[in-house]
Amino acid sequence: MQKHLIQVRVRYSETDQMGVVYHGSYVPYFEIGRVEWLRNKGISYKTLEESGIALPIVSMTLNYKKPARYDDELRVKTILKSQTSVKIEFDYEIHNEQNQLLTTGYSMLVFVDMKTGRPI
């Protein structure tokens, strides 16, 4: 199992009026984790796009266990679930500083030719 860990501090703009991380803010946390997972493997989104390959998300799920709050330091674990010649799948875990599991997630991305929009 290939995994990568990053840390992210919750910014005020990512929270609601109660200081709790807004549900839509988790998707960018997963993206940051995924981009850094790829970078750690020597692959960058920029290089992929320059070569004509896009990686759109075709499926994503999130499961909220406990709330993250303003100024929390979060650990985002990105785990390669599977990879084929056409798609790549990741699992995610977000923990707080007390190592409590806050959120889990999953995404499937497809390798797409940027000119035709078709899977490659």
Side-chain angles (χ1 to χ4, degrees):
M1 180 182 333
Q2 299 180 33
K3 54 187 157 184
H4 186 68
L5 194 63
I6 62 157
Q7 292 183 310
V8 177
R9 185 165 302 275
V10 175
R11 296 171 295 238
Y12 187 77
S13 64
E14 298 165 342
T15 63
D16 61 20
Q17 198 170 16
M18 298 174 290
V20 173
V21 173
Y22 173 71
H23 70 274
S25 295
Y26 288 92
V27 174
Y29 296 158
F30 292 166
E31 179 185 6
I32 293 166
R34 187 173 60 254
V35 167
E36 293 306 317
W37 184 94
L38 287 166
R39 188 182 315 279
N40 189 53
K41 304 297 179 219
I43 304 163
S44 76
Y45 265 100
K46 183 177 180 180
T47 303
L48 283 173
E49 289 177 351
E50 287 172 348
S51 67
I53 299 170
L55 271 175
I57 294 172
V58 296
S59 180
M60 178 172 274
T61 60
L62 290 91
N63 296 293
Y64 306 102
K65 311 289 185 190
K66 293 184 177 189
R69 300 186 182 277
Y70 171 65
D71 206 41
D72 283 355
E73 189 169 295
L74 307 178
R75 288 191 329 272
V76 180
K77 184 189 298 185
T78 305
I79 306 154
L80 176 66
K81 183 174 182 174
S82 73
Q83 180 181 358
T84 68
S85 60
V86 178
K87 68 180 180 179
I88 188 166
E89 298 175 273
F90 292 98
D91 285 326
Y92 307 91
E93 295 177 1
I94 296 180
H95 292 83
N96 62 14
E97 294 170 273
Q98 292 75 39
N99 203 33
Q100 296 172 315
L101 179 62
L102 306 180
T103 307
T104 61
Y106 159 84
S107 67
M108 178 194 306
L109 297 89
V110 176
F111 297 96
V112 172
D113 183 303
M114 291 176 69
K115 290 182 182 174
T116 65
R118 300 183 60 83
I120 56 173

